[in-house]
Amino acid sequence: MKILYVNPGKLNSGLDAIVKGAPLNLITIAAMVPEHHAELFDFKMDKYIEEDFRTLLKDSDIVAIMSLTPQINHALVVAKMAKEEGCITILKKYHPT
């Protein structure tokens, strides 16, 4: 099973300049299921090209998105794209729960 872990960007609170660290929460979860193929897309660090990202979604069975409250709008856009490509979509972190 292929799992794509996504760290959404576009923080609405102006924290993009501050919050640049690795998404340790996603890396930790990926390490807990080593029997599955894991890939990480970090919108804060990776170059985003919609066509390439949609191809990445098409190649994934599950898309796991971690979202803080300032990121929720972008996380929902990513979740909608994942659903359009037929992926099982998981949205987690403080805001969705």
Side-chain angles (χ1 to χ4, degrees):
M1 185 172 297
K2 293 182 179 180
I3 304 173
L4 175 62
Y5 297 92
V6 179
N7 187 30
K10 300 182 183 176
L11 292 173
N12 291 334
S13 64
L15 296 175
D16 267 341
I18 299 168
V19 184
K20 293 281 187 191
L24 296 179
N25 50 359
L26 293 172
I27 295 167
T28 302
I29 291 172
M32 294 175 146
V33 287
E35 65 274 11
H36 298 292
H37 175 78
E39 191 151 351
L40 172 66
F41 192 91
D42 187 347
F43 274 91
K44 294 183 212 167
M45 302 303 285
D46 295 326
K47 184 176 180 180
Y48 173 73
I49 299 170
E50 184 173 346
E51 184 178 323
D52 294 345
F53 184 68
R54 283 193 180 269
T55 300
L56 194 57
L57 291 171
K58 286 178 190 173
D59 293 340
S60 302
D61 300 308
I62 297 174
V63 176
I65 306 163
M66 297 289 192
S67 174
L68 297 170
T69 299
Q71 296 170 302
I72 193 63
N73 292 330
H74 188 235
L76 293 174
V77 169
V78 172
K80 182 179 179 189
M81 290 173 68
K83 285 291 190 184
E84 290 171 356
E85 300 302 335
C87 300
I88 295 170
T89 307
I90 301 168
L91 192 57
K92 182 71 176 112
K93 198 84 180 210
Y94 302 114
H95 188 88
T97 57

